[in-house]
Amino acid sequence: MGVQGLTGFVEERGVFFTELRVRDTKLVIDGSSLYHRLCLAPDADFRRGGDYGAFVQALGRLGVPFVQYFAEADREIAGLANLWGCPVLSLDSDFFVFDLAGGYCPLSHFQWQSVRAAAGPQGRYVPARCFSAERFCGHFGRLSKALLPLFAVMNGNDYIGLEALEAFFSKVRLPRGCAAGRGGKHLRLQGLLKWLAQFAEPAEALDNVLKYLKKHQREEIRELLCTSMEDYAPSEVNLEDFFQNGSYECEAARKADVPQWVLDALAKGKLAPFVINALILRSTFLRVQVENMQRPSAHSTALPIRQVIYGLLLRVSHSTEGASPSKQTNELPTVCEFDRCQKTLKKTFVQAASLPPDFCDDRFPLDKLMEVPTSCRQMLLLETLGVKMSFLEPFPSHLQLPVAVTCYWTRHSEPKVKLNQLKALLLMIVSGELQRITNDPDPTVLPAEDDNIAYNEFLKWKEKKLENNDFDLDAAHSFCQWQCCLQMGLYLNQLLGTPLSEPDLSRLYTGTLVHRLYQELKSAPSVENLFILSPKMAQLYLVLLNTVES
């Protein structure tokens, strides 16, 4: 993310930061950066599939207002922060370039785990460091902040490479011996900043850059640089409207003809970006987990679910302008999927699924999908996962989708799921249910003492040192397949307006736990009786096992 080499350049010097005590203020947090920061936490065991309890669904439980934006959100983050006059919290070096009224706090300098108490009436605060654009520009003479976007695009960011400007860097005399090839990337950064400082405003600087290029290239490069610099102007989209009214106006979404209910659901986190990428870009990127690279991607197991998602999103494309009558009626649309093939990235065109008649009815295009009867939407979900509602009725509503996904997984995984892998997964689900009824009991139900006893015994078991902590790659691959099936099952359920209740992911999957259960089941089968002290949980496990096996 961001401007190449800029974070290292700024961090090396350190003088561009001011100390900040964060308290009693709004804070605009870049969710993507926060997600990746948590993913890279040193105590996160991602070799075993991660522990969902650390990042996912936490915002909703904590009541933190958030918006999931339609596209790249840097400009919108900057615009909202300037509207509120508060800092931006991120790890994206693009925010060194934006003109931010409240400043930019890198997540790496936001010590949220070290909250301190201030002397006097101020109260507690989070120690942080805030980047000062004024200090940064002052370090390079009279460099205007207005020139920072030109500096960013000339140095190369997410959208423009350096190749187009190599002629400039090979000919220009950068100050103090900073020419290309003499001291590395940071010297070039420093030299470019000092060279730009001689100009009062971007247009003058840009004219001087173009002088070093061939005449036939100049207008094309001017247009490219000017367009790229616009990405550093705070957006005029008013995201405050969303936090006040639950929706916002987005010109880009209107141009892309995105139905309003899709845009609203995306903003509220009720649809995943995966859905928008498939709808607008006709392409998706399937993230690689820690799996057996000699086998097909774990995502291949969930391919039929993705095809149904694509069918729902793209069925309107049958009547595209200019298509022949035969293509309009017979040819299904495709989506370009990027996935791994062994250790390389492979592009595959996947055909959307043909849908049942109810979903091909012209009365129900995508913008009217929620008008399809709930029973029909539920039926499509269950048929895709290959289960009947009668199989799911014995389970609490929040476990019905995971049970359906687990049934699907056992039928579609290759190689076949081993019995101990299935048992470990179901025991993990039961542990989450036991935690739920123990820690967040239903106030209308009298708590059972045996549930508390069983939960305490489970906690004691977790504290015991595992004798065999070997990493089983084949088991990891199988559990990765389950996660892929769950992910796409969730996405399909969301797209259909949640005909089945959404599960609490933080209590549903814990990678370290499921791997431990699997290892112990191989050496000590008695661990299958882990919850025997709670008749309710022991019964739940048996019903789960019998349902999935049947």
Side-chain angles (χ1 to χ4, degrees), residues 436-501:
R436 183 187 68 82
I437 64 173
T438 305
N439 294 347
D440 299 312
D442 184 342
T444 64
V445 178
L446 192 66
E449 184 59 27
D450 49 22
D451 291 335
N452 289 322
I453 294 171
Y455 186 59
N456 288 330
E457 289 299 311
F458 169 66
L459 294 178
K460 290 178 185 176
W461 173 83
K462 281 181 71 177
E463 290 172 0
K464 291 179 184 177
K465 188 174 182 181
L466 182 62
E467 292 183 10
N468 180 9
N469 198 30
D470 293 341
F471 180 69
D472 189 317
L473 185 58
D474 288 336
H477 191 85
S478 186
F479 295 137
C480 284
Q481 289 176 321
W482 182 84
Q483 290 183 85
C484 292
C485 295
L486 177 67
Q487 180 189 42
M488 292 304 154
L490 281 168
Y491 290 174
L492 178 57
N493 189 48
Q494 290 172 343
L495 184 58
L496 290 169
T498 58
L500 294 182
S501 298

Coordinates of all heavy atoms in Angstrom, one line a residue, residues 436-501:
R436 N -20.6 -19.9 25.0 CA -21.7 -18.9 24.8 C -22.7 -19.0 25.9 O -23.0 -18.0 26.6 CB -22.4 -19.2 23.5 CG -23.5 -18.2 23.2 CD -24.3 -18.5 21.9 NE -25.1 -19.7 22.1 CZ -26.3 -19.8 22.7 NH1 -26.8 -18.6 23.1 NH2 -26.9 -20.9 22.8
I437 N -23.1 -20.2 26.2 CA -24.2 -20.4 27.3 C -23.6 -20.1 28.7 O -24.4 -19.8 29.6 CB -24.9 -21.7 27.2 CG1 -23.9 -22.9 27.5 CG2 -25.6 -21.9 25.8 CD1 -24.6 -24.2 27.6
T438 N -22.3 -20.3 28.8 CA -21.7 -20.0 30.1 C -21.4 -18.5 30.4 O -21.7 -18.0 31.4 CB -20.4 -20.8 30.3 OG1 -20.7 -22.2 30.0 CG2 -19.8 -20.7 31.7
N439 N -20.8 -17.9 29.3 CA -20.4 -16.5 29.5 C -21.5 -15.5 29.2 O -21.5 -14.4 29.7 CB -19.2 -16.2 28.6 CG -17.9 -17.0 29.1 OD1 -17.9 -17.5 30.2 ND2 -16.9 -17.0 28.3
D440 N -22.4 -15.9 28.2 CA -23.5 -15.0 27.9 C -24.8 -15.7 27.9 O -25.5 -16.0 26.9 CB -23.3 -14.5 26.4 CG -22.0 -13.6 26.3 OD1 -21.8 -12.8 27.1 OD2 -21.3 -13.9 25.3
P441 N -25.2 -16.1 29.1 CA -26.4 -17.0 29.3 C -27.7 -16.2 28.9 O -27.8 -15.0 29.0 CB -26.4 -17.3 30.8 CG -25.6 -16.2 31.4 CD -24.6 -15.8 30.4
D442 N -28.6 -17.0 28.4 CA -29.9 -16.4 28.1 C -30.7 -16.1 29.4 O -30.8 -17.0 30.3 CB -30.7 -17.5 27.3 CG -32.1 -16.9 26.9 OD1 -32.6 -15.9 27.4 OD2 -32.7 -17.6 26.0
P443 N -31.0 -14.8 29.6 CA -31.6 -14.4 30.9 C -33.0 -15.1 31.2 O -33.4 -15.2 32.3 CB -31.8 -12.9 30.8 CG -31.8 -12.6 29.3 CD -30.9 -13.7 28.7
T444 N -33.6 -15.7 30.1 CA -34.9 -16.3 30.3 C -34.7 -17.8 30.6 O -35.7 -18.5 30.9 CB -35.7 -16.2 29.0 OG1 -35.1 -16.9 27.9 CG2 -35.9 -14.7 28.6
V445 N -33.5 -18.3 30.6 CA -33.3 -19.7 30.8 C -32.4 -19.9 32.1 O -31.4 -19.2 32.3 CB -32.5 -20.4 29.6 CG1 -32.2 -21.9 29.9 CG2 -33.4 -20.3 28.4
L446 N -32.9 -20.8 33.0 CA -32.1 -21.0 34.2 C -30.8 -21.7 33.9 O -30.8 -22.7 33.3 CB -33.0 -21.9 35.2 CG -32.5 -22.0 36.6 CD1 -32.6 -20.7 37.3 CD2 -33.3 -23.1 37.3
P447 N -29.7 -21.1 34.3 CA -28.4 -21.7 34.0 C -28.2 -23.1 34.7 O -28.6 -23.2 35.8 CB -27.3 -20.7 34.5 CG -28.1 -19.9 35.5 CD -29.5 -19.9 35.1
A448 N -27.6 -24.0 34.0 CA -27.4 -25.4 34.5 C -26.0 -25.4 35.1 O -25.0 -25.0 34.5 CB -27.5 -26.4 33.4
E449 N -25.9 -25.9 36.3 CA -24.6 -26.0 37.0 C -23.6 -26.9 36.3 O -22.4 -26.7 36.3 CB -24.8 -26.4 38.5 CG -23.5 -26.4 39.3 CD -22.9 -25.1 39.4 OE1 -23.6 -24.1 39.3 OE2 -21.6 -25.0 39.6
D450 N -24.2 -28.0 35.7 CA -23.3 -28.9 35.0 C -22.6 -28.3 33.8 O -21.5 -28.7 33.4 CB -24.0 -30.2 34.6 CG -25.3 -29.9 33.9 OD1 -25.5 -28.8 33.3 OD2 -26.2 -30.8 33.9
D451 N -23.2 -27.3 33.2 CA -22.6 -26.6 32.1 C -21.4 -25.8 32.6 O -20.3 -25.8 31.9 CB -23.6 -25.6 31.4 CG -24.7 -26.3 30.6 OD1 -24.4 -27.5 30.2 OD2 -25.7 -25.7 30.5
N452 N -21.5 -25.1 33.7 CA -20.4 -24.4 34.3 C -19.3 -25.3 34.7 O -18.1 -25.0 34.5 CB -20.8 -23.6 35.6 CG -21.7 -22.4 35.2 OD1 -21.5 -21.8 34.2 ND2 -22.7 -22.2 36.0
I453 N -19.6 -26.5 35.3 CA -18.6 -27.5 35.6 C -17.8 -28.0 34.4 O -16.6 -28.0 34.3 CB -19.2 -28.6 36.4 CG1 -19.8 -28.2 37.7 CG2 -18.2 -29.8 36.6 CD1 -20.6 -29.2 38.5
A454 N -18.6 -28.3 33.3 CA -18.0 -28.8 32.1 C -17.1 -27.7 31.5 O -16.0 -28.0 31.0 CB -19.1 -29.2 31.1
Y455 N -17.5 -26.5 31.5 CA -16.7 -25.4 30.9 C -15.4 -25.2 31.7 O -14.3 -25.0 31.1 CB -17.5 -24.1 30.9 CG -16.8 -23.0 30.2 CD1 -16.4 -23.1 28.8 CD2 -16.5 -21.8 30.8 CE1 -15.8 -22.1 28.1 CE2 -15.8 -20.8 30.1 CZ -15.5 -20.9 28.8 OH -14.8 -19.9 28.1
N456 N -15.5 -25.3 33.0 CA -14.2 -25.1 33.8 C -13.3 -26.3 33.6 O -12.1 -26.1 33.5 CB -14.6 -25.1 35.3 CG -15.2 -23.8 35.7 OD1 -15.0 -22.7 35.1 ND2 -16.1 -23.8 36.7
E457 N -13.8 -27.5 33.4 CA -13.0 -28.7 33.1 C -12.3 -28.5 31.7 O -11.2 -28.9 31.5 CB -13.8 -29.9 33.1 CG -14.2 -30.4 34.5 CD -13.0 -30.7 35.4 OE1 -12.1 -31.4 35.0 OE2 -13.0 -30.1 36.5
F458 N -13.1 -27.9 30.8 CA -12.6 -27.7 29.4 C -11.4 -26.7 29.5 O -10.4 -26.8 28.8 CB -13.7 -27.1 28.5 CG -13.2 -26.6 27.2 CD1 -12.7 -27.4 26.3 CD2 -13.4 -25.2 26.9 CE1 -12.2 -26.9 25.0 CE2 -12.9 -24.7 25.7 CZ -12.4 -25.6 24.8
L459 N -11.6 -25.6 30.3 CA -10.5 -24.6 30.5 C -9.2 -25.3 31.1 O -8.1 -24.9 30.7 CB -11.0 -23.4 31.3 CG -12.1 -22.6 30.7 CD1 -12.5 -21.5 31.7 CD2 -11.7 -22.0 29.4
K460 N -9.4 -26.2 32.0 CA -8.3 -26.9 32.6 C -7.6 -27.7 31.6 O -6.4 -27.8 31.5 CB -8.8 -27.7 33.8 CG -9.2 -27.0 35.0 CD -9.7 -27.9 36.1 CE -10.3 -27.2 37.3 NZ -10.9 -28.1 38.3
W461 N -8.4 -28.4 30.7 CA -7.8 -29.2 29.7 C -7.0 -28.3 28.7 O -5.9 -28.7 28.3 CB -8.9 -29.9 28.9 CG -8.5 -30.7 27.7 CD1 -7.9 -31.9 27.7 CD2 -8.5 -30.2 26.4 NE1 -7.6 -32.3 26.4 CE2 -7.9 -31.2 25.6 CE3 -8.9 -29.0 25.8 CZ2 -7.8 -31.1 24.2 CZ3 -8.8 -28.9 24.4 CH2 -8.3 -29.9 23.6
K462 N -7.5 -27.2 28.4 CA -6.8 -26.3 27.4 C -5.5 -25.8 28.0 O -4.5 -25.6 27.3 CB -7.6 -25.0 27.1 CG -8.7 -25.3 26.1 CD -9.5 -24.0 25.8 CE -8.7 -23.0 25.1 NZ -9.5 -21.8 24.7
E463 N -5.4 -25.7 29.3 CA -4.1 -25.2 30.0 C -3.1 -26.3 30.0 O -1.9 -26.0 30.2 CB -4.4 -24.7 31.4 CG -5.3 -23.4 31.4 CD -5.7 -23.0 32.8 OE1 -5.4 -23.8 33.7 OE2 -6.4 -22.0 32.9
K464 N -3.4 -27.6 29.9 CA -2.5 -28.6 29.9 C -1.5 -28.5 28.7 O -1.9 -28.2 27.6 CB -3.2 -30.0 29.9 CG -3.9 -30.3 31.2 CD -4.6 -31.7 31.0 CE -5.4 -32.0 32.2 NZ -6.1 -33.3 32.1
K465 N -0.3 -28.9 28.9 CA 0.7 -28.9 27.8 C 0.4 -30.0 26.9 O 0.3 -31.2 27.3 CB 2.1 -28.9 28.4 CG 3.2 -28.7 27.3 CD 4.6 -28.6 27.9 CE 5.6 -28.3 26.9 NZ 7.0 -28.3 27.4
L466 N 0.4 -29.7 25.6 CA 0.1 -30.7 24.6 C 1.4 -31.5 24.4 O 2.5 -31.0 24.1 CB -0.3 -30.1 23.3 CG -0.7 -31.0 22.1 CD1 -1.9 -31.9 22.5 CD2 -1.0 -30.2 20.9
E467 N 1.3 -32.9 24.5 CA 2.5 -33.7 24.3 C 3.0 -33.7 22.9 O 4.2 -33.7 22.6 CB 2.1 -35.1 24.8 CG 1.9 -35.2 26.3 CD 1.6 -36.7 26.7 OE1 1.8 -37.6 25.9 OE2 1.2 -36.9 27.9
N468 N 2.1 -33.8 22.0 CA 2.4 -33.9 20.5 C 1.9 -32.6 19.9 O 0.7 -32.4 19.6 CB 1.8 -35.1 19.9 CG 2.1 -35.2 18.4 OD1 3.0 -34.4 17.9 ND2 1.5 -36.1 17.7
N469 N 2.8 -31.7 19.6 CA 2.5 -30.4 19.0 C 2.9 -30.3 17.5 O 3.1 -29.3 17.0 CB 3.1 -29.2 19.8 CG 2.4 -27.9 19.4 OD1 1.2 -27.9 19.1 ND2 3.1 -26.8 19.5
D470 N 3.0 -31.5 16.9 CA 3.4 -31.6 15.5 C 2.4 -30.9 14.6 O 1.2 -30.9 14.9 CB 3.6 -33.0 15.0 CG 4.8 -33.7 15.7 OD1 5.6 -33.0 16.3 OD2 4.8 -34.9 15.7
F471 N 2.9 -30.3 13.5 CA 2.0 -29.6 12.6 C 1.6 -30.6 11.5 O 2.5 -31.0 10.7 CB 2.6 -28.4 12.0 CG 1.7 -27.6 11.0 CD1 0.6 -27.0 11.5 CD2 2.1 -27.6 9.7 CE1 -0.2 -26.3 10.6 CE2 1.2 -26.9 8.8 CZ 0.1 -26.3 9.2
D472 N 0.4 -30.9 11.4 CA -0.1 -31.9 10.4 C -0.6 -31.1 9.1 O -1.7 -30.5 9.2 CB -1.2 -32.7 11.0 CG -1.6 -33.9 10.0 OD1 -1.7 -33.7 8.8 OD2 -1.8 -35.0 10.6
L473 N 0.2 -31.1 8.1 CA -0.2 -30.3 6.9 C -1.4 -30.8 6.2 O -2.2 -30.0 5.7 CB 1.0 -30.3 5.9 CG 0.9 -29.4 4.7 CD1 0.6 -27.9 5.1 CD2 2.1 -29.5 3.8
D474 N -1.6 -32.1 6.2 CA -2.8 -32.6 5.5 C -4.1 -32.2 6.3 O -5.1 -31.9 5.7 CB -2.8 -34.1 5.4 CG -1.8 -34.6 4.4 OD1 -1.5 -33.8 3.5 OD2 -1.2 -35.7 4.5
A475 N -4.0 -32.2 7.6 CA -5.1 -31.8 8.4 C -5.4 -30.3 8.2 O -6.5 -29.8 8.1 CB -4.9 -32.1 9.9
A476 N -4.3 -29.5 8.2 CA -4.4 -28.1 7.9 C -5.1 -27.8 6.6 O -6.0 -26.9 6.5 CB -3.0 -27.4 8.0
H477 N -4.8 -28.6 5.6 CA -5.4 -28.4 4.3 C -6.9 -28.7 4.3 O -7.7 -28.0 3.8 CB -4.7 -29.4 3.3 CG -5.1 -29.1 1.8 ND1 -4.4 -28.1 1.1 CD2 -6.1 -29.6 1.0 CE1 -5.0 -28.1 -0.1 NE2 -6.0 -29.0 -0.2
S478 N -7.2 -29.8 5.1 CA -8.7 -30.1 5.2 C -9.4 -29.0 5.9 O -10.5 -28.6 5.5 CB -8.8 -31.4 5.9 OG -10.1 -31.9 5.9
F479 N -8.9 -28.5 7.0 CA -9.5 -27.4 7.7 C -9.6 -26.1 6.9 O -10.5 -25.3 7.1 CB -8.8 -27.2 9.1 CG -9.0 -28.3 10.0 CD1 -7.9 -28.8 10.8 CD2 -10.1 -29.0 10.2 CE1 -8.0 -29.8 11.7 CE2 -10.3 -30.1 11.0 CZ -9.2 -30.5 11.8
C480 N -8.6 -25.9 6.1 CA -8.6 -24.7 5.2 C -9.8 -24.9 4.2 O -10.5 -23.9 3.9 CB -7.3 -24.6 4.4 SG -5.9 -24.0 5.3
Q481 N -10.0 -26.1 3.7 CA -11.2 -26.4 2.8 C -12.5 -26.0 3.5 O -13.4 -25.4 2.9 CB -11.2 -27.8 2.4 CG -10.0 -28.2 1.4 CD -10.0 -29.6 1.1 OE1 -10.3 -30.5 1.9 NE2 -9.8 -29.9 -0.2
W482 N -12.6 -26.4 4.8 CA -13.8 -26.1 5.6 C -14.0 -24.6 5.7 O -15.1 -24.1 5.5 CB -13.8 -26.7 7.0 CG -15.0 -26.5 7.8 CD1 -16.1 -27.2 7.7 CD2 -15.2 -25.5 8.7 NE1 -17.1 -26.7 8.6 CE2 -16.5 -25.6 9.2 CE3 -14.4 -24.4 9.2 CZ2 -17.1 -24.8 10.2 CZ3 -15.0 -23.6 10.2 CH2 -16.3 -23.7 10.7
Q483 N -12.9 -23.9 6.0 CA -13.0 -22.4 6.1 C -13.4 -21.8 4.8 O -14.2 -20.8 4.8 CB -11.6 -21.8 6.5 CG -11.3 -22.2 8.0 CD -10.0 -21.5 8.4 OE1 -10.0 -20.4 8.9 NE2 -8.9 -22.3 8.3
C484 N -12.9 -22.3 3.6 CA -13.3 -21.8 2.3 C -14.8 -22.0 2.1 O -15.5 -21.1 1.6 CB -12.5 -22.4 1.2 SG -10.7 -21.9 1.2
C485 N -15.3 -23.2 2.5 CA -16.7 -23.5 2.3 C -17.5 -22.6 3.2 O -18.6 -22.1 2.8 CB -17.0 -25.0 2.6 SG -16.2 -26.1 1.5
L486 N -17.1 -22.4 4.4 CA -17.8 -21.5 5.4 C -17.9 -20.1 4.8 O -18.9 -19.4 4.8 CB -17.2 -21.5 6.7 CG -17.8 -20.6 7.8 CD1 -19.2 -21.1 8.1 CD2 -17.0 -20.5 9.0
Q487 N -16.7 -19.6 4.3 CA -16.6 -18.2 3.8 C -17.6 -18.0 2.7 O -18.4 -17.1 2.7 CB -15.2 -17.9 3.3 CG -15.1 -16.6 2.7 CD -13.7 -16.4 2.0 OE1 -13.3 -17.3 1.3 NE2 -13.1 -15.3 2.3
M488 N -17.7 -18.9 1.7 CA -18.6 -18.8 0.6 C -20.0 -19.1 1.0 O -20.9 -18.5 0.4 CB -18.1 -19.7 -0.6 CG -16.8 -19.2 -1.2 SD -16.9 -17.5 -1.7 CE -15.1 -17.0 -1.6
G489 N -20.2 -20.0 1.9 CA -21.6 -20.2 2.4 C -22.1 -18.9 3.1 O -23.3 -18.6 2.9
L490 N -21.2 -18.2 3.9 CA -21.6 -17.0 4.5 C -22.0 -15.9 3.4 O -23.0 -15.2 3.5 CB -20.5 -16.4 5.4 CG -20.3 -17.1 6.8 CD1 -19.0 -16.6 7.4 CD2 -21.5 -16.7 7.7
Y491 N -21.1 -15.8 2.4 CA -21.4 -14.8 1.4 C -22.7 -15.1 0.6 O -23.4 -14.1 0.3 CB -20.2 -14.8 0.4 CG -18.9 -14.3 0.9 CD1 -17.7 -14.3 0.1 CD2 -18.8 -13.7 2.2 CE1 -16.5 -13.9 0.6 CE2 -17.6 -13.2 2.6 CZ -16.4 -13.3 1.9 OH -15.3 -12.9 2.3
L492 N -22.9 -16.3 0.3 CA -24.2 -16.7 -0.4 C -25.4 -16.4 0.5 O -26.4 -15.8 0.1 CB -24.2 -18.1 -0.8 CG -25.4 -18.7 -1.5 CD1 -25.7 -17.8 -2.7 CD2 -25.3 -20.1 -1.9
N493 N -25.3 -16.7 1.8 CA -26.4 -16.5 2.7 C -26.6 -15.0 2.8 O -27.8 -14.5 2.8 CB -26.0 -17.0 4.1 CG -27.1 -17.0 5.1 OD1 -28.2 -17.4 4.8 ND2 -26.8 -16.5 6.3
Q494 N -25.6 -14.2 2.9 CA -25.7 -12.7 2.9 C -26.4 -12.2 1.7 O -27.3 -11.3 1.7 CB -24.3 -12.0 3.1 CG -23.7 -12.3 4.5 CD -22.3 -11.8 4.6 OE1 -21.6 -11.6 3.6 NE2 -21.8 -11.6 5.8
L495 N -25.9 -12.7 0.5 CA -26.5 -12.2 -0.7 C -28.0 -12.5 -0.9 O -28.7 -11.8 -1.5 CB -25.7 -12.8 -1.9 CG -26.0 -12.3 -3.3 CD1 -25.9 -10.8 -3.5 CD2 -25.2 -13.0 -4.4
L496 N -28.4 -13.6 -0.3 CA -29.8 -14.0 -0.3 C -30.6 -13.4 0.8 O -31.7 -13.8 1.0 CB -29.9 -15.5 -0.2 CG -29.4 -16.3 -1.5 CD1 -29.3 -17.8 -1.2 CD2 -30.3 -16.0 -2.7
G497 N -30.0 -12.4 1.6 CA -30.7 -11.8 2.6 C -30.8 -12.6 3.9 O -31.8 -12.4 4.7
T498 N -29.8 -13.4 4.2 CA -29.7 -14.2 5.4 C -30.9 -15.1 5.7 O -31.6 -14.9 6.7 CB -29.3 -13.4 6.6 OG1 -30.3 -12.4 6.9 CG2 -27.9 -12.8 6.5
P499 N -31.3 -16.0 4.8 CA -32.4 -16.9 5.1 C -32.1 -17.8 6.3 O -33.0 -18.4 6.9 CB -32.6 -17.7 3.8 CG -31.4 -17.5 3.1 CD -30.8 -16.2 3.4
L500 N -30.8 -18.0 6.6 CA -30.3 -18.7 7.8 C -29.6 -17.6 8.6 O -28.9 -16.8 8.1 CB -29.4 -19.9 7.5 CG -30.0 -21.0 6.7 CD1 -29.0 -22.2 6.6 CD2 -31.3 -21.6 7.5
S501 N -29.7 -17.8 9.9 CA -29.0 -16.8 10.9 C -27.5 -16.9 10.7 O -27.0 -18.0 10.4 CB -29.4 -17.2 12.3 OG -30.8 -17.0 12.5

